[in-house]
Amino acid sequence: MAERAKYLGGIGYILVLIGAMASITKFGGIITLAGIVLAGIAWILLGRKLYDKVMIGNGILMIVSPFLIAGIIIAVLISMFPHIPEVSHYGRVDIIPEQQMIHLISIIALITLTVIAIGFISWILHVMSHLRAGNKLAIGTFKYSAYCQIASFLISVTSLAWLFSNITKVAPLLQKMTKPDIFVLLNLLGPAFITLMIAGVISIVAYVLSIVAFFSIEEIRTPTF
């Protein structure tokens, strides 16, 4: 079981990393999904071997959450169809009634909050699983991956918070621009994008560490509680 978890986890995270880098292609999403499923199976096997419910829960959620989120989005989009304005033969778009507009905004807000909640819970279990695996298997690389994931998350949240808090200052300046000026854009938005790039690099390092950690697993005899 440990041997299967070792290779499924290592290969799974390799595919996730390749899929993320190939996200601009049509195969990026499929490769990433395959990697997530393999890594999820690896965490379930590792959790069963170590009698760790957090790892098992993490693995199950890794496998289920992509399909769950896709199902929610499809269901919401279908429910939105009756509220989409129709375009007449003269190219005129009908105005959406206020009540329908409120309902439409509520649906969009609901799906956004649901996706964020599922993603956040998945992230917490993922980090906790790495920390617990590092302790129980005495493989420090698992812990280092968790630390990188936490650092990447905090940097991303801080950067986005800064961006949204300054959007009221940036928007009027952008409206005054008669033509795109790369230097002005870098001056206004550069800090946020640079920190997001740093967070992305740290996230890549976290995946690499996860790959190394899984391939470092040896035969597990007795779980350490």
Side-chain angles (χ1 to χ4, degrees):
M1 190 179 294
E3 193 75 8
R4 283 183 290 169
K6 172 180 181 176
Y7 291 108
L8 284 174
I11 294 171
Y13 280 107
I14 288 174
L15 291 177
V16 170
L17 195 57
I18 293 174
M21 293 181 174
S23 57
I24 57 174
T25 67
K26 60 182 179 180
F27 300 108
I30 298 174
I31 296 172
T32 301
L33 181 60
I36 290 173
V37 170
L38 290 179
I41 295 172
W43 280 113
I44 292 173
L45 294 175
L46 194 60
R48 289 174 61 187
K49 185 70 177 180
L50 296 173
Y51 302 98
D52 193 301
K53 293 181 180 179
V54 173
M55 295 182 192
I56 295 174
N58 173 50
I60 292 173
L61 197 56
M62 284 181 72
I63 296 171
V64 172
S65 58
F67 301 99
L68 180 62
I69 292 172
I72 292 171
I73 293 174
I74 292 171
V76 170
L77 288 176
I78 292 173
S79 67
M80 285 172 60
F81 282 144
H83 306 284
I84 297 175
E86 296 182 358
V87 180
S88 66
H89 296 291
Y90 302 101
R92 185 178 61 190
V93 180
D94 295 336
I95 298 174
I96 305 177
E98 183 179 352
Q99 195 172 17
Q100 288 190 6
M101 178 63 76
I102 293 172
H103 184 69
L104 195 61
I105 293 172
S106 300
I107 291 174
I108 295 172
L110 178 63
I111 186 174
T112 303
L113 291 174
T114 303
V115 170
I116 290 173
I118 294 172
F120 187 64
I121 294 170
S122 299
W123 179 80
I124 290 175
L125 288 177
H126 194 248
V127 171
M128 287 179 62
S129 296
H130 276 77
L131 292 172
R132 293 169 74 88
N135 287 329
K136 292 189 174 186
L137 298 174
I139 299 176
T141 324
F142 274 114
K143 293 183 180 180
Y144 301 145
S145 175
Y147 299 151
C148 286
Q149 292 174 54
I150 294 170
S152 176
F153 176 79
L154 292 176
I155 293 172
S156 298
V157 170
T158 304
S159 178
L160 291 173
W162 179 90
L163 185 62
F164 284 116
S165 65
N166 287 273
I167 198 70
T168 54
K169 300 176 183 178
V170 173
L173 295 174
L174 294 177
Q175 289 176 353
K176 293 178 181 178
M177 291 174 57
T178 55
K179 60 179 180 179
D181 190 329
I182 187 64
F183 296 104
V184 175
L185 291 175
L186 286 175
N187 186 42
L188 294 174
L189 307 175
F193 289 125
I194 290 172
T195 50
L196 285 174
M197 287 177 62
I198 293 172
V201 171
I202 296 174
S203 182
I204 291 173
V205 172
Y207 281 121
V208 172
L209 291 172
S210 294
I211 294 167
V212 174
F214 266 100
F215 282 129
S216 300
I217 295 175
E218 301 297 336
E219 184 60 34
I220 302 171
R221 293 182 176 86
T222 305
T224 304
F225 296 100

